[in-house]
Amino acid sequence: MTDYDIGALIQRFDRFESAQGRVTGQLSAAMGEGLLLDVLAHALAPSGDVELLPEVPRRDNDAFDAENAPVPSVRDLDAWLAQAGELVAVECKHWTAASTDARRSVPEGAVDFAEYARAQWRELTVPADWARWTTTTKIALPLRPPYGWTAPQVNRARRILIVWRPVSCDGVSAFSRHLTTTRREGEWVDLTVEVFSASIHLRQLLTAGISRLHSTFGQLDTLLEALDAIVWRSPRR
């Protein structure tokens, strides 16, 4: 297994340098989802072992009807996790300081950092954005059970939207909660979505003196092994 350098991650993804923007984007595309899942696994670990299921969460078309709720265009989420006999549906958004909607560094001062995180939360939870299905709000989609699991287990599954960027309802917490709705048995029902900031969690680890993060699910190892198989670098002189 491989470890991440937490300080280097924050330096790469929370600082914007125009000369490095393209490389940062390439890293986000290659390792972003795996990185976010590994950070979430670390945050969930105190409650028990976390397993990455082989299936991804898929939209339950039976929950929609043409008259009151047409089937949306968005469909699959990024991952099913299982912990202590319960499901966790996950959507990953590796939004960084180099993303096209930002292109500026995250503030470092405690007060400015907290205000930045709260502003990101307000932008994310604008009511109009949650009144329709988007590539972000699809975290609340009705979902089909993965193999070996049941509809009641899916109904009580945690829904976690992982975002790299600092985003927090109070400017401090890595986990925030947002109340929205989903479709279930032909009705609109309330659903709580958790938003998890990987950047905030990793910064909390650094403050606690932890500088490395273990790659729980091994996706980073798979990526590095693939690169090793196709790339050969001459020794530095």
Side-chain angles (χ1 to χ4, degrees):
M1 286 291 187
T2 306
D3 291 345
Y4 300 94
D5 183 315
I6 295 175
L9 287 174
I10 292 171
Q11 181 68 32
R12 167 61 65 175
F13 295 123
D14 276 350
R15 310 284 186 274
F16 174 62
E17 299 179 22
S18 56
Q20 293 294 318
R22 183 175 181 181
V23 174
T24 300
Q26 291 170 333
L27 286 172
S28 292
M31 63 181 287
E33 181 179 313
L35 167 61
L36 294 180
L37 290 172
D38 282 336
V39 179
L40 177 62
H42 183 276
L44 296 179
S47 298
D49 292 341
V50 183
E51 178 187 1
L52 177 64
L53 300 186
E55 293 182 53
V56 299
R58 302 196 183 282
R59 182 187 66 205
D60 182 5
N61 292 342
D62 292 340
F64 297 93
D65 58 78
E67 182 177 350
N68 297 316
V71 177
S73 59
V74 292
R75 40 184 315 119
D76 299 343
L77 306 186
D78 289 320
W80 276 121
L81 303 181
Q83 183 179 40
E86 299 292 337
L87 286 169
V88 183
V90 178
E91 176 67 13
C92 300
K93 298 297 180 188
H94 202 254
W95 299 328
T96 72
S99 298
T100 54
D101 66 327
R103 300 184 68 79
R104 69 183 182 98
S105 296
V106 173
E108 283 304 314
V111 174
D112 290 340
F113 180 89
E115 178 50 40
Y116 177 95
R118 286 192 294 267
Q120 291 294 314
W121 173 256
R122 291 192 295 270
E123 184 175 335
L124 180 65
T125 57
V126 171
D129 289 343
W130 289 83
R132 57 190 175 86
W133 299 106
T134 69
T135 58
T136 300
T137 64
K138 68 177 181 175
I139 183 60
L141 279 172
L143 300 171
R144 303 202 308 261
Y147 179 78
W149 297 78
T150 66
Q153 289 172 313
V154 171
N155 290 344
R156 64 174 181 265
R158 294 177 71 174
R159 305 294 188 103
I160 301 181
L161 174 66
I162 319 175
V163 179
W164 167 267
R165 194 177 293 165
V167 52
S168 174
C169 62
D170 61 8
V172 177
S173 303
F175 280 99
S176 301
R177 292 174 177 267
H178 177 66
L179 182 63
T180 184
T181 58
T182 191
R183 293 285 291 179
R184 188 175 298 158
E185 298 178 355
E187 302 286 340
W188 289 102
V189 298
D190 290 340
L191 180 72
T192 297
V193 168
E194 297 174 73
V195 179
F196 173 69
S197 168
S199 175
I200 291 179
H201 181 71
L202 292 177
R203 287 167 181 269
Q204 291 170 345
L205 294 183
L206 273 184
T207 300
I210 300 171
S211 61
R212 303 279 178 175
L213 180 83
H214 191 58
S215 175
T216 301
F217 298 125
Q219 294 181 350
L220 179 61
D221 294 272
T222 301
L223 174 63
L224 294 176
E225 288 168 4
L227 287 173
D228 286 341
I230 61 176
V231 175
W232 187 84
R233 300 179 66 184
S234 299
R236 292 185 177 180
R237 297 184 179 183

Coordinates of all heavy atoms in Angstrom, one line a residue, residues 49-105:
D49 N -14.4 -0.8 10.2 CA -13.8 -1.0 8.9 C -14.7 -0.5 7.8 O -15.9 -0.7 7.8 CB -13.4 -2.4 8.7 CG -12.3 -2.9 9.6 OD1 -11.5 -2.0 10.1 OD2 -12.1 -4.1 9.8
V50 N -14.1 0.0 6.7 CA -14.9 0.5 5.6 C -14.5 -0.3 4.4 O -13.3 -0.5 4.1 CB -14.6 2.0 5.3 CG1 -15.4 2.5 4.1 CG2 -14.8 2.9 6.5
E51 N -15.5 -0.8 3.7 CA -15.3 -1.6 2.5 C -15.8 -0.9 1.2 O -16.9 -0.3 1.3 CB -16.1 -3.0 2.6 CG -16.0 -3.9 1.4 CD -16.9 -5.1 1.5 OE1 -17.6 -5.2 2.6 OE2 -16.9 -5.9 0.6
L52 N -15.0 -1.0 0.2 CA -15.5 -0.4 -1.1 C -16.1 -1.6 -1.9 O -15.5 -2.6 -2.2 CB -14.2 0.1 -1.9 CG -14.5 0.7 -3.3 CD1 -15.4 1.9 -3.3 CD2 -13.2 1.0 -4.0
L53 N -17.4 -1.4 -2.2 CA -18.1 -2.5 -3.0 C -17.8 -2.4 -4.5 O -17.4 -1.4 -5.0 CB -19.6 -2.3 -2.8 CG -20.1 -2.4 -1.3 CD1 -21.7 -2.4 -1.3 CD2 -19.6 -3.6 -0.6
P54 N -17.9 -3.5 -5.2 CA -17.5 -3.6 -6.6 C -18.5 -2.8 -7.5 O -18.1 -2.4 -8.6 CB -17.5 -5.1 -6.9 CG -18.4 -5.7 -5.9 CD -18.2 -4.9 -4.6
E55 N -19.8 -2.7 -7.0 CA -20.7 -1.9 -7.8 C -20.7 -0.5 -7.5 O -20.3 0.0 -6.4 CB -22.1 -2.5 -7.6 CG -22.4 -3.9 -8.0 CD -23.9 -4.3 -7.7 OE1 -24.8 -3.5 -8.1 OE2 -24.1 -5.3 -7.1
V56 N -21.2 0.4 -8.5 CA -21.5 1.8 -8.2 C -23.0 2.0 -8.0 O -23.8 1.2 -8.5 CB -20.9 2.7 -9.3 CG1 -19.4 2.5 -9.5 CG2 -21.7 2.4 -10.6
P57 N -23.4 3.0 -7.3 CA -24.8 3.2 -7.1 C -25.5 3.6 -8.4 O -25.0 4.6 -9.1 CB -24.8 4.4 -6.1 CG -23.5 4.4 -5.4 CD -22.5 3.9 -6.5
R58 N -26.6 3.0 -8.7 CA -27.3 3.2 -9.9 C -28.7 3.7 -9.7 O -29.4 3.3 -8.7 CB -27.3 2.0 -10.8 CG -25.9 1.4 -11.1 CD -26.0 0.4 -12.3 NE -24.6 -0.1 -12.5 CZ -23.7 0.5 -13.2 NH1 -23.9 1.7 -13.7 NH2 -22.5 -0.1 -13.3
R59 N -29.1 4.7 -10.5 CA -30.4 5.3 -10.3 C -31.5 4.3 -10.4 O -31.5 3.4 -11.3 CB -30.6 6.4 -11.5 CG -31.9 7.2 -11.5 CD -32.0 8.0 -12.7 NE -32.1 7.1 -13.9 CZ -31.7 7.5 -15.1 NH1 -31.2 8.7 -15.4 NH2 -31.9 6.7 -16.2
D60 N -32.5 4.4 -9.6 CA -33.7 3.5 -9.6 C -34.8 4.2 -10.4 O -35.5 5.1 -10.0 CB -34.2 3.3 -8.2 CG -35.4 2.4 -8.1 OD1 -35.8 1.8 -9.2 OD2 -36.0 2.2 -7.0
N61 N -34.9 3.8 -11.7 CA -35.9 4.4 -12.6 C -37.3 4.1 -12.2 O -38.2 4.9 -12.5 CB -35.7 3.8 -14.0 CG -34.4 4.3 -14.6 OD1 -33.8 5.2 -14.2 ND2 -33.9 3.6 -15.6
D62 N -37.6 3.1 -11.4 CA -38.9 2.8 -11.0 C -39.5 3.9 -10.0 O -40.7 3.9 -9.8 CB -39.0 1.4 -10.3 CG -38.7 0.3 -11.2 OD1 -38.9 0.5 -12.5 OD2 -38.4 -0.8 -10.8
A63 N -38.6 4.7 -9.5 CA -39.1 5.7 -8.5 C -39.6 7.0 -9.3 O -40.2 7.8 -8.6 CB -37.9 6.2 -7.6
F64 N -39.5 7.0 -10.6 CA -39.9 8.1 -11.4 C -41.1 7.8 -12.2 O -41.4 6.6 -12.5 CB -38.8 8.6 -12.3 CG -37.6 9.1 -11.5 CD1 -36.5 8.3 -11.2 CD2 -37.5 10.4 -11.1 CE1 -35.4 8.7 -10.5 CE2 -36.4 10.9 -10.4 CZ -35.4 10.0 -10.1
D65 N -41.9 8.8 -12.6 CA -43.0 8.7 -13.5 C -43.1 9.9 -14.4 O -42.7 11.0 -13.9 CB -44.3 8.4 -12.8 CG -44.7 9.5 -11.9 OD1 -45.2 10.6 -12.3 OD2 -44.5 9.4 -10.6
A66 N -43.6 9.8 -15.6 CA -43.5 10.9 -16.6 C -44.3 12.1 -16.1 O -44.0 13.2 -16.5 CB -44.0 10.4 -17.9
E67 N -45.4 11.8 -15.3 CA -46.3 12.9 -15.0 C -45.8 13.8 -13.9 O -45.7 15.0 -14.0 CB -47.7 12.3 -14.6 CG -48.7 13.4 -14.3 CD -50.0 12.9 -13.9 OE1 -50.2 11.6 -14.1 OE2 -50.9 13.6 -13.4
N68 N -45.3 13.2 -12.8 CA -44.9 14.0 -11.6 C -43.4 14.1 -11.4 O -42.9 15.0 -10.7 CB -45.5 13.4 -10.3 CG -47.1 13.5 -10.4 OD1 -47.6 14.5 -10.7 ND2 -47.7 12.4 -10.0
A69 N -42.7 13.2 -12.0 CA -41.2 13.1 -11.8 C -40.6 12.4 -13.0 O -40.3 11.2 -12.9 CB -40.9 12.4 -10.5
P70 N -40.3 13.1 -14.1 CA -39.6 12.5 -15.2 C -38.3 12.0 -14.8 O -37.6 12.5 -13.9 CB -39.5 13.7 -16.2 CG -40.5 14.7 -15.8 CD -40.6 14.5 -14.3
V71 N -37.8 10.9 -15.5 CA -36.5 10.3 -15.2 C -35.5 11.4 -15.6 O -35.4 11.9 -16.7 CB -36.3 9.0 -16.0 CG1 -34.9 8.5 -15.8 CG2 -37.4 8.0 -15.7
P72 N -34.6 11.7 -14.7 CA -33.5 12.7 -15.0 C -32.4 12.2 -15.9 O -32.3 10.9 -16.1 CB -33.0 13.0 -13.6 CG -33.2 11.8 -12.8 CD -34.5 11.2 -13.3
S73 N -31.6 13.0 -16.4 CA -30.5 12.6 -17.2 C -29.3 12.1 -16.4 O -28.6 11.2 -16.9 CB -30.0 13.8 -18.1 OG -29.6 14.9 -17.3
V74 N -29.1 12.6 -15.2 CA -28.0 12.1 -14.4 C -28.4 10.7 -13.8 O -29.6 10.4 -13.6 CB -27.7 13.0 -13.2 CG1 -27.1 14.3 -13.7 CG2 -29.0 13.3 -12.4
R75 N -27.4 9.8 -13.6 CA -27.7 8.5 -13.3 C -26.8 7.9 -12.2 O -27.3 7.8 -11.0 CB -27.8 7.5 -14.5 CG -26.7 7.7 -15.5 CD -26.9 6.8 -16.7 NE -27.3 5.4 -16.4 CZ -28.4 4.9 -16.7 NH1 -29.3 5.5 -17.4 NH2 -28.6 3.6 -16.4
D76 N -25.6 7.5 -12.5 CA -24.8 6.8 -11.5 C -24.0 7.7 -10.6 O -23.6 8.8 -11.0 CB -23.8 5.9 -12.2 CG -24.5 4.8 -13.1 OD1 -25.7 4.6 -12.9 OD2 -23.8 4.3 -14.0
L77 N -23.8 7.2 -9.3 CA -22.9 7.9 -8.4 C -21.5 7.2 -8.5 O -21.3 6.3 -9.3 CB -23.4 7.8 -7.0 CG -24.9 8.3 -6.8 CD1 -25.2 8.3 -5.3 CD2 -25.0 9.7 -7.3
D78 N -20.6 7.6 -7.7 CA -19.2 7.1 -7.8 C -18.9 5.8 -7.0 O -18.1 5.0 -7.5 CB -18.2 8.2 -7.4 CG -18.2 9.3 -8.4 OD1 -18.3 9.0 -9.7 OD2 -18.1 10.5 -8.0
A79 N -19.5 5.6 -5.9 CA -19.1 4.5 -5.1 C -20.1 4.1 -4.1 O -20.8 5.0 -3.5 CB -17.8 4.7 -4.4
W80 N -20.2 2.8 -3.8 CA -20.9 2.2 -2.6 C -19.8 1.9 -1.6 O -18.9 1.1 -1.9 CB -21.7 1.0 -2.9 CG -23.1 1.1 -3.5 CD1 -23.5 0.6 -4.7 CD2 -24.2 1.7 -2.8 NE1 -24.9 0.9 -4.8 CE2 -25.3 1.6 -3.7 CE3 -24.4 2.4 -1.6 CZ2 -26.6 2.1 -3.4 CZ3 -25.7 2.9 -1.3 CH2 -26.7 2.7 -2.2
L81 N -19.9 2.3 -0.4 CA -19.1 1.9 0.7 C -20.0 1.1 1.7 O -21.2 1.3 1.7 CB -18.5 3.0 1.5 CG -17.6 4.0 0.7 CD1 -17.0 5.0 1.6 CD2 -16.5 3.2 -0.1
A82 N -19.4 0.2 2.4 CA -20.2 -0.5 3.4 C -19.4 -0.5 4.7 O -18.2 -0.6 4.8 CB -20.4 -2.0 3.1
Q83 N -20.1 -0.2 5.8 CA -19.5 -0.1 7.1 C -20.5 -0.6 8.2 O -21.6 -0.1 8.3 CB -19.1 1.3 7.4 CG -18.4 1.5 8.8 CD -17.9 2.9 9.0 OE1 -18.7 3.9 8.7 NE2 -16.7 3.1 9.6
A84 N -20.1 -1.5 9.0 CA -20.9 -2.0 10.1 C -22.3 -2.5 9.6 O -23.3 -2.2 10.3 CB -21.0 -1.0 11.2
G85 N -22.3 -3.1 8.5 CA -23.6 -3.6 8.0 C -24.5 -2.6 7.4 O -25.7 -2.9 7.1
E86 N -24.0 -1.4 7.1 CA -24.8 -0.3 6.6 C -24.1 0.2 5.3 O -22.9 0.1 5.1 CB -25.0 0.8 7.5 CG -25.7 0.5 8.8 CD -27.2 0.1 8.6 OE1 -27.8 0.5 7.5 OE2 -27.8 -0.6 9.4
L87 N -24.9 0.7 4.4 CA -24.4 1.3 3.1 C -24.2 2.8 3.2 O -24.8 3.5 4.0 CB -25.5 1.0 2.0 CG -25.6 -0.4 1.5 CD1 -26.9 -0.5 0.6 CD2 -24.4 -0.8 0.7
V88 N -23.2 3.2 2.4 CA -22.9 4.6 2.2 C -22.8 4.9 0.7 O -21.9 4.3 0.1 CB -21.5 5.0 2.9 CG1 -21.3 6.5 2.8 CG2 -21.5 4.6 4.4
A89 N -23.6 5.7 0.2 CA -23.6 6.1 -1.2 C -22.8 7.4 -1.3 O -23.0 8.3 -0.6 CB -25.0 6.3 -1.8
V90 N -21.8 7.4 -2.3 CA -20.8 8.4 -2.4 C -20.8 9.0 -3.8 O -20.8 8.3 -4.8 CB -19.4 7.9 -2.0 CG1 -18.4 9.0 -2.1 CG2 -19.4 7.4 -0.5
E91 N -20.7 10.4 -3.8 CA -20.4 11.1 -5.0 C -19.2 11.9 -4.8 O -19.1 12.6 -3.7 CB -21.6 12.0 -5.5 CG -21.3 12.9 -6.7 CD -21.1 12.1 -8.0 OE1 -21.5 10.9 -8.0 OE2 -20.7 12.7 -9.0
C92 N -18.2 11.9 -5.7 CA -16.9 12.6 -5.5 C -16.9 13.9 -6.5 O -17.1 13.8 -7.7 CB -15.8 11.7 -5.9 SG -15.7 10.2 -4.8
K93 N -16.4 15.0 -5.9 CA -16.2 16.2 -6.7 C -14.8 16.7 -6.3 O -14.6 17.3 -5.3 CB -17.3 17.2 -6.4 CG -18.7 16.8 -6.8 CD -18.8 16.6 -8.3 CE -20.2 16.1 -8.6 NZ -20.3 15.7 -10.1
H94 N -13.8 16.5 -7.2 CA -12.5 17.0 -6.9 C -12.3 18.4 -7.3 O -11.5 18.7 -8.2 CB -11.5 16.0 -7.5 CG -10.1 16.1 -6.8 ND1 -9.0 16.7 -7.4 CD2 -9.7 15.6 -5.6 CE1 -8.0 16.6 -6.6 NE2 -8.4 16.0 -5.5
W95 N -13.1 19.3 -6.8 CA -13.0 20.7 -7.1 C -11.8 21.3 -6.3 O -11.7 21.2 -5.1 CB -14.2 21.5 -6.6 CG -15.5 21.0 -7.3 CD1 -15.6 20.5 -8.6 CD2 -16.8 21.0 -6.8 NE1 -16.9 20.2 -8.9 CE2 -17.7 20.5 -7.8 CE3 -17.4 21.3 -5.6 CZ2 -19.0 20.3 -7.6 CZ3 -18.7 21.2 -5.4 CH2 -19.5 20.7 -6.4
T96 N -10.9 21.9 -7.0 CA -9.6 22.4 -6.4 C -9.5 23.9 -6.7 O -10.3 24.5 -7.3 CB -8.4 21.7 -6.9 OG1 -8.2 22.1 -8.3 CG2 -8.6 20.2 -6.9
A97 N -8.4 24.5 -6.1 CA -8.1 25.9 -6.4 C -7.9 26.2 -7.9 O -8.0 27.3 -8.3 CB -6.9 26.3 -5.6
A98 N -7.5 25.1 -8.6 CA -7.2 25.3 -10.0 C -8.4 25.0 -10.9 O -8.4 25.2 -12.1 CB -6.1 24.3 -10.5
S99 N -9.6 24.6 -10.3 CA -10.8 24.4 -11.1 C -11.2 25.7 -11.8 O -11.0 26.8 -11.3 CB -11.9 23.8 -10.2 OG -11.5 22.6 -9.7
T100 N -12.0 25.6 -12.9 CA -12.3 26.8 -13.7 C -13.2 27.7 -12.9 O -13.3 28.9 -13.2 CB -13.0 26.3 -15.0 OG1 -14.1 25.5 -14.7 CG2 -12.0 25.6 -15.9
D101 N -14.0 27.2 -11.9 CA -14.8 28.1 -11.1 C -14.1 28.8 -10.0 O -14.7 29.6 -9.2 CB -16.1 27.4 -10.6 CG -15.7 26.3 -9.6 OD1 -14.6 25.8 -9.7 OD2 -16.5 26.1 -8.6
A102 N -12.8 28.5 -9.8 CA -12.1 29.1 -8.7 C -10.9 29.9 -9.2 O -10.9 31.1 -9.2 CB -11.6 28.0 -7.7
R103 N -9.8 29.2 -9.6 CA -8.6 29.8 -10.1 C -8.1 30.8 -9.1 O -7.6 31.9 -9.5 CB -8.8 30.3 -11.5 CG -9.2 29.3 -12.5 CD -9.3 29.8 -13.9 NE -8.0 30.2 -14.4 CZ -7.1 29.3 -14.9 NH1 -7.4 28.1 -14.9 NH2 -6.0 29.8 -15.4
R104 N -8.1 30.5 -7.8 CA -7.5 31.3 -6.8 C -7.2 30.4 -5.6 O -7.9 29.4 -5.3 CB -8.4 32.5 -6.4 CG -9.6 32.1 -5.6 CD -10.4 33.4 -5.3 NE -11.6 33.1 -4.5 CZ -11.7 33.3 -3.2 NH1 -10.7 33.7 -2.5 NH2 -12.9 33.0 -2.6
S105 N -6.1 30.8 -4.8 CA -5.7 30.0 -3.7 C -6.7 30.1 -2.5 O -7.4 31.1 -2.4 CB -4.3 30.4 -3.3 OG -3.4 30.1 -4.3

